[in-house]
Amino acid sequence: MSAVPEEGTVLIHGQTLDFLSGEVAHKLNLLQFTEFTLTHKGCKLTLMPDEVKESPVLEIICSKEDAKKLESLWIQSKKNESHAHAFFYSIRKMNPLVLGALSIIIVGIIGFFYFKGLEMVTNLIPVSMDKQLGESVQLKIDSQFQECNTKATDRFFTEALKKVVPKGSPHQFKVSVIGSAIPNAFALSNGKIYFFSGLLNDAKSQEEVIGVLAHEIAHVEKRHHMRNLVKAGGTSLAISLVVGPGLGNMEFLETFTEIGSTILVLKFSRDFETEADVTSIAYLRNQNLSPSGLLSFFKRMQEFEKENTESDDNQTDKNAKNDQVVTQSFTDFLSTHPATEERMKSLKSLIESGKKGTIKKVVSDKTWKEVQAVCLEFKNSDSK
């Protein structure tokens, strides 16, 4: 019990411990000990934890059964102190497996309501913030890629936006075409939508492109970029509060800024993608347009991914490979996820369950051919 270790005998009388060592005797109450630890030889009781100097410790060598009984007596003495202690030490006495399962459930419930609260936070953020954040990312993208818009593409997307964008939308949408063989598209939070020319070159019909356009518009209208940003920032804050480091030296704010600079074009979660699918189909049906074009696009995406994977190992052309690397650096962050079998099945079921709509052309066949011929020099250079 002192700075110099003493060996002796411990006698237990109810809540009282008598420590006898030679001519020295200590009488202690279990309630005085602030910590109890089971050891492989018995148990260890800590008198009073002190950050400045080492606390007196009583180590008792005994059987596991006796150690368990003593622990129960100590826990009971602590529970009698107050209601808070009663609750805390009741939890401590629980079976570890039950306690672990209960902890997971509690954390899950807290996490559910926490992230639901973050969703509500998005509603308090003005749409003008979406526009500002999107514009900052747009500058970076415009400096990285070469646009190859034509009068035909401008005419096509202007007419398509008139049909698909919901009435009363607070967003100003504009579409640009990027020269690349990659058949994909993505949207920024300010309403700027980028189509890779490969998607237009390989499209089977106008409705396929319109379906993809509706999907990207849905991402913007549902504010998936901002919701992603708030969720990521909220998660970072929660971790900082639990772990500790990062708040005092403002590292959290730096992390939040870094997240914000990339999150606007990150791949969306499964829930956001599903919401965009459902919303885009609603947009198309409201205009009596066929929603089957979106499913057609995902089927082509799936085929493209398979071909791209198979050709990666056989890629020999250096220029094409470099172009692919540069393009891939951004397509890894595109809003449109690779089409999975599960997602395609859900989309097909959703399309078949509602109004089919009619196949309408937003521009003439002549203009459409001009749209499909845009940036072909990029596609040819990629395929050499």
Side-chain angles (χ1 to χ4, degrees):
M1 295 292 293
S2 64
V4 178
E6 296 181 37
E7 291 186 5
T9 304
V10 175
L11 300 177
I12 303 173
H13 304 285
Q15 297 286 326
T16 304
L17 298 180
D18 290 331
F19 177 77
L20 307 175
S21 176
E23 297 180 356
V24 179
H26 296 283
K27 187 179 289 291
L28 298 163
N29 193 296
L30 275 175
L31 189 61
Q32 291 178 262
F33 293 94
T34 58
E35 188 57 60
F36 188 104
T37 307
L38 293 172
T39 65
H40 66 286
K41 292 182 179 181
C43 59
K44 181 174 70 174
L45 293 92
T46 304
L47 191 62
M48 53 177 73
D50 194 324
E51 295 180 0
V52 179
K53 53 187 177 181
E54 186 177 354
S55 170
V57 172
L58 174 63
E59 292 192 49
I60 301 176
I61 299 175
C62 61
S63 65
K64 289 184 178 180
E65 291 73 16
D66 289 339
K68 280 286 187 181
K69 290 179 182 179
L70 187 56
E71 182 185 34
S72 296
L73 287 173
W74 177 76
I75 289 176
Q76 188 59 47
S77 69
K78 289 295 183 181
K79 288 171 66 175
N80 293 333
E81 282 190 297
S82 65
H83 292 298
H85 280 81
F87 175 76
F88 175 80
Y89 288 103
S90 294
I91 292 177
R92 174 170 175 153
K93 202 172 181 180
M94 291 177 64
N95 182 292
L97 293 177
V98 175
L99 182 59
L102 183 62
S103 299
I104 293 174
I105 293 173
I106 292 174
V107 170
I109 293 174
I110 294 174
F112 173 80
F113 284 104
Y114 179 74
F115 285 111
K116 281 294 181 182
L118 291 179
E119 285 282 312
M120 296 175 64
V121 169
T122 308
N123 297 329
L124 303 177
I125 301 175
V127 176
S128 59
M129 286 294 296
D130 298 53
K131 296 178 181 178
Q132 291 176 20
L133 291 169
E135 287 170 0
S136 65
V137 179
Q138 182 181 332
L139 292 173
K140 183 176 181 181
I141 292 177
D142 289 344
S143 66
Q144 291 287 330
F145 290 106
Q146 181 178 343
E147 294 184 10
C148 47
N149 293 359
T150 64
K151 290 183 178 180
T153 58
D154 289 343
R155 188 180 308 122
F156 171 77
F157 284 114
T158 297
E159 294 301 318
L161 287 171
K162 288 179 181 177
K163 290 185 175 296
V164 181
V165 176
K167 293 182 179 179
S169 172
H171 302 279
Q172 297 295 323
F173 290 94
K174 185 178 180 181
V175 180
S176 288
V177 180
I178 291 175
S180 173
I182 304 296
N184 215 330
F186 65 96
L188 302 183
S189 61
N190 63 342
K192 183 65 179 287
I193 300 174
Y194 293 90
F195 272 75
F196 287 104
S197 57
L199 192 154
L200 301 175
N201 301 150
D202 299 334
K204 303 301 181 183
S205 64
Q206 293 186 37
E207 66 174 341
E208 186 175 298
V209 178
I210 294 174
V212 176
L213 179 65
H215 178 90
E216 300 305 330
I217 289 173
H219 276 309
V220 179
E221 290 290 335
K222 293 298 180 180
R223 304 186 72 186
H224 289 165
H225 306 81
M226 185 59 71
R227 287 161 67 185
N228 245 356
L229 178 60
V230 170
K231 183 181 291 185
T235 302
S236 178
L237 175 60
I239 293 173
S240 295
L241 292 174
V242 173
V243 177
L247 290 179
N249 56 9
M250 306 302 285
E251 287 181 9
F252 164 70
L253 294 180
E254 294 176 8
T255 302
F256 188 84
T257 303
E258 292 172 3
I259 292 173
S261 66
T262 57
I263 198 72
L264 299 177
V265 285
L266 277 177
K267 289 182 177 181
F268 294 123
S269 68
R270 183 186 297 272
D271 290 341
F272 284 171
E273 287 300 328
T274 299
E275 185 177 35
D277 288 342
V278 174
T279 304
S280 62
I281 290 174
Y283 289 163
L284 296 170
R285 283 176 173 159
N286 287 340
Q287 294 295 325
N288 197 32
L289 294 171
S290 172
S292 60
L294 185 60
L295 181 60
S296 175
F297 165 74
F298 285 135
K299 287 179 179 178
R300 284 204 305 106
M301 276 289 288
Q302 191 176 49
E303 293 172 0
F304 172 80
E305 287 157 9
K306 289 179 181 178
E307 293 174 0
N308 196 43
T309 300
E310 292 172 358
S311 63
D312 275 347
D313 295 334
N314 301 320
Q315 186 83 332
T316 56
D317 187 83
K318 185 176 180 180
N319 291 331
K321 195 167 186 177
N322 288 339
D323 181 76
Q324 185 180 18
V325 170
V326 174
T327 306
Q328 190 65 37
S329 67
F330 270 89
T331 56
D332 280 343
F333 295 91
L334 298 188
S335 61
T336 303
H337 276 180
T340 62
E341 287 291 343
E342 181 182 352
R343 185 179 175 193
M344 290 171 65
K345 287 179 181 178
S346 299
L347 190 58
K348 184 177 180 181
S349 176
L350 189 63
I351 291 173
E352 292 177 349
S353 64
K355 186 173 66 174
K356 299 296 183 290
T358 58
I359 300 175
K360 293 183 179 180
K361 299 176 181 178
V362 298
V363 293
S364 64
D365 290 338
K366 179 182 178 183
T367 301
W368 174 241
K369 286 182 179 179
E370 293 177 7
V371 171
Q372 287 206 285
V374 69
C375 309
L376 275 178
E377 65 271 18
F378 288 95
K379 182 176 179 61
N380 294 334
S381 66
D382 284 350
S383 60
K384 286 180 182 179

